[in-house]
Amino acid sequence: MHIKNFWPLLAGIGLVATSLAVVGDDDRRSGPDVAPVSLPLYQQECGSCHFAYQPGLLPARSWAQVMAGLSDHFGDNAELAQADHQAIQDYLLYNAADRVRDRRAVKIARSLQAEAAPLRITEVPYVVHKHREIPASLIKDNAKVGSLSNCTACHTRADSGSFSEREINIPGHGQWDD
Ligand code: HEC
Ligand code: HEC
């Protein structure tokens, strides 16, 4: 390449990169709150007893602890074959809240102290804060919900990684207006 053509070319690459970055930003705003589950093995193994919580709902250090304690997982044995364990752990850690840029994942990660590694999404400060106004009569004392861990009972599009307030339907109560 002739040297006098070099700088305009670089500037051109810069422009393309900038416009791509802008498109990416828009995508994040209109896209899901967290990326939907993309590993069928995870869906199958970690979605059999409860909703397959997306990796973006907890930081990597939390997922590492969850995976380290599967033999006594909230009172259940959720142990996996070694190869499956490794694949799921890699998937969770790689896509964890503190490793991705999806808007809700970023907020979850930011709400936690640097060392905090809650085992529960429902103990993450951001998640606690978001649900603070919902009375127990609609969660714990609601037979169709049972606990805040049961995301899909109220968030109709949780499976696709969307937790928008417009897509909430609390059993026996309906939409949430605040
Ligand atoms: C044998 C059933 C079972 C399997 C399989 C299972 N879990 Fe769980 N999990 C539970 C139970 C029970 C709870 C506690 C639920 C509650 O308190 O309402 C739980 C809770 C959780 C929570 C906390 C939810 C909250 O309250 O915020 C996470 C995170 C979680 N599981 C991740 C996983 C992962 C990752 C896997 C796959 C490696 C997995 N689970 C597989 C039974 C299971
Ligand atoms: C009892 C029904 C119910 C359950 C169960 C529930 N949520 Fe929610 N969630 C709500 C309501 C209602 C709001 C809106 C609260 C408000 O704005 O005052 C909300 C808000 C949110 C928001 C913020 C959305 C926004 O637009 O600001 C997120 C993220 C979220 N929930 C995630 C979860 C996750 C993850 C779980 C499961 C671990 C869960 N929720 C379980 C009812 C529920």
Side-chain angles (χ1 to χ4, degrees):
M1 184 199 306
H2 204 274
I3 192 74
K4 80 171 192 282
N5 291 331
F6 186 65
W7 290 111
L9 180 64
L10 267 189
I13 292 173
L15 266 181
V16 171
T18 308
S19 41
L20 280 179
V22 168
V23 170
D25 246 41
D26 277 335
D27 275 346
R28 264 203 308 285
R29 266 196 293 278
S30 56
D33 295 307
V34 293
V37 168
S38 59
L39 183 72
L41 178 69
Y42 177 75
Q43 180 69 48
Q44 188 186 312
E45 296 295 339
C46 303
S48 57
C49 296
H50 49 65
F51 172 56
Y53 304 110
Q54 287 92 354
L57 293 171
L58 281 176
R61 54 190 185 275
S62 287
W63 287 125
Q65 298 232 29
V66 169
M67 293 305 289
L70 288 181
S71 61
D72 183 8
H73 178 73
F74 302 96
D76 276 355
N77 186 339
E79 276 179 309
L80 295 162
Q82 202 186 329
D84 291 352
H85 189 283
Q86 191 62 51
I88 288 174
Q89 176 154 319
D90 289 350
Y91 169 68
L92 286 170
L93 266 56
Y94 190 79
N95 295 288
D98 52 339
R99 307 268 164 95
V100 296
R101 300 191 60 198
D102 303 292
R103 60 184 162 179
R104 214 65 74 177
V106 168
K107 288 182 174 171
I108 283 174
R110 276 194 199 140
S111 79
L112 287 159
Q113 306 271 321
E115 307 285 311
L119 292 177
R120 287 180 179 273
I121 297 148
T122 50
E123 285 171 0
V124 170
Y126 177 75
V127 176
V128 172
H129 181 79
K130 279 289 174 181
H131 298 96
R132 73 193 183 288
E133 286 170 8
I134 310 172
S137 60
L138 296 181
I139 307 178
K140 207 162 46 68
D141 304 331
N142 184 342
K144 294 206 171 89
V145 180
S147 96
L148 192 60
S149 311
N150 192 4
C151 318
T152 44
C154 305
H155 291 279
T156 58
R157 296 194 59 235
D159 276 325
S160 57
S162 178
F163 294 90
S164 156
E165 287 180 35
R166 294 185 306 276
E167 298 161 349
I168 292 169
N169 183 6
I170 305 180
H173 177 82
Q175 286 188 313
W176 182 259
D177 308 298
D178 65 343

